[in-house]
Amino acid sequence: MSIPRPGKPVRGSQSGSPIMALFDLLGRSWAMGVIWNLQNGPSTFRELQERCESISPSILNDRIKDLREADIVERTLEGYQLTQRGKALIELLLPFKDWSLVWSEEVFNFTKHAMFKKEVK
């Protein structure tokens, strides 16, 4: 299965608009988890699998392949890491994290934010 490409039909868009192609890619199982868990630097396959907790090796391998093809993740001597494009994507996603913390408190009375303190902002 190839990655969603702008200009080609993707989930949610027959025209394949770039934003819909991106949403299709990021909506794949564990794609966001892999990206989010690489924001703090390089990680070996095994380390990344541990960070993602319940991901299977085959799904992790597929997501890494997809994200490498999309120039979001690259393999280095230290392991897998975000490319410059991947780092720019994380910068766009960080405001969603802040929004989600307020939303979780106001709508769901969820205040256990200590589990999220490890992530670098």
Side-chain angles (χ1 to χ4, degrees):
M1 178 186 243
S2 65
I3 65 168
R5 296 183 183 279
K8 306 281 185 187
V10 297
R11 287 185 299 168
S13 173
Q14 288 302 307
S15 68
S17 69
I19 190 70
M20 294 306 289
L22 178 63
F23 285 165
D24 190 353
L25 175 64
L26 298 180
R28 289 186 170 189
S29 177
W30 279 103
M32 288 297 297
V34 170
I35 293 166
W36 196 255
N37 281 295
L38 287 175
Q39 71 178 299
N40 294 324
S43 177
T44 65
F45 187 92
R46 188 171 305 278
E47 290 168 343
L48 188 53
Q49 187 178 11
E50 288 174 13
R51 288 184 196 174
C52 291
E53 298 172 5
S54 63
I55 193 171
S56 73
S58 61
I59 294 292
L60 179 55
N61 194 47
D62 288 348
R63 284 308 77 82
I64 289 172
K65 180 182 173 198
D66 293 346
L67 295 170
R68 286 181 70 191
E69 187 177 341
D71 191 38
I72 294 172
V73 169
E74 64 187 353
R75 186 173 183 185
T76 68
L77 294 175
E78 297 174 323
Y80 295 99
Q81 68 181 21
L82 295 174
T83 61
Q84 285 305 114
R85 190 176 317 279
K87 291 174 185 175
L89 178 59
I90 281 290
E91 290 302 314
L92 294 170
L93 294 172
L94 287 174
F96 283 94
K97 174 190 168 197
D98 296 338
W99 184 91
S100 73
L101 295 174
V102 172
W103 170 72
S104 67
E105 287 180 18
E106 292 179 355
V107 176
F108 301 102
N109 199 31
F110 178 81
T111 58
K112 297 179 183 174
H113 302 305
M115 67 181 79
F116 303 110
K117 300 247 190 240
K118 291 190 275 184
E119 296 150 358
V120 173
K121 186 170 178 185

